[in-house]
Amino acid sequence: MTFEIVVNLCDNLHLFIYTIIQNDIINIIFNKGCIPMNEQKDISLKPLDIDTIYSQWSKTYNKEGKPDWSHIFPYYHDEIIFQDSIQKIVGIVPFKKMCARLTKRCRSLHMQILNVTKNENIIMFEWIMTMKFRIFPSTPMYGGSRLTLHENGQIIEQRDYYDLWGDIANGVPIYRRFYRWFMRVFFG
């Protein structure tokens, strides 16, 4: 009986050591040195600062075609929390799906970044986003974004602020007059 226990212990120890070695090799290969993916920066990315926001986010949108977010997705943490006037999204996969839906809805999308400021781990920027939908004329939306940076430098939270109804109403002639009248009468 003692022999069986020793054999079982040896087999279990062998499996345990094999698992540790295998996991370390997998971590080294896939996580670049056993550091969890969200705890490291991609060394090919420029640090997120005012200049990076101007240069990278301006490349995302163009006047003639569909937006392309692929070059800024690496700046987003896997556990990104995105929120705007109509939705709250948690996680990089749902965030990418949201971007794909916006691309599908718009004929073209352009963003002009007006001002950017950074204070410690918070970046704020003001923008004008002009969207052209399938039926309606181009519609500018005026807004701002607050980016909160994780300790690893990636964006862990993005909150977009804009007047969804007012900016869209300006592009619809009959509705525009009603909306402005309603806002003036009931909200001053």
Side-chain angles (χ1 to χ4, degrees), residues 33-57:
C34 302
I35 301 170
M37 287 299 285
N38 282 329
E39 299 302 321
Q40 62 176 318
K41 282 187 184 180
D42 181 344
I43 56 171
S44 65
L45 292 177
K46 296 178 185 175
L48 270 176
D49 57 19
I50 292 172
D51 293 332
T52 306
I53 294 294
Y54 275 116
S55 66
Q56 298 300 311
W57 268 250

Side-chain angles (χ1 to χ4, degrees), residues 46 48-72 75-76 109-116 125-130 147:
K46 296 178 185 175
L48 270 176
D49 57 19
I50 292 172
D51 293 332
T52 306
I53 294 294
Y54 275 116
S55 66
Q56 298 300 311
W57 268 250
S58 295
K59 283 196 288 187
T60 304
Y61 306 93
N62 59 68
K63 292 180 181 177
E64 287 75 36
K66 301 281 188 175
D68 176 19
W69 285 277
S70 61
H71 64 286
I72 63 171
Y75 285 104
Y76 286 90
L109 192 62
H110 172 69
M111 178 181 274
Q112 178 185 2
I113 298 173
L114 304 174
N115 298 298
V116 181
F125 60 100
E126 179 185 12
W127 43 260
I128 301 171
M129 185 182 296
T130 305
L147 308 177

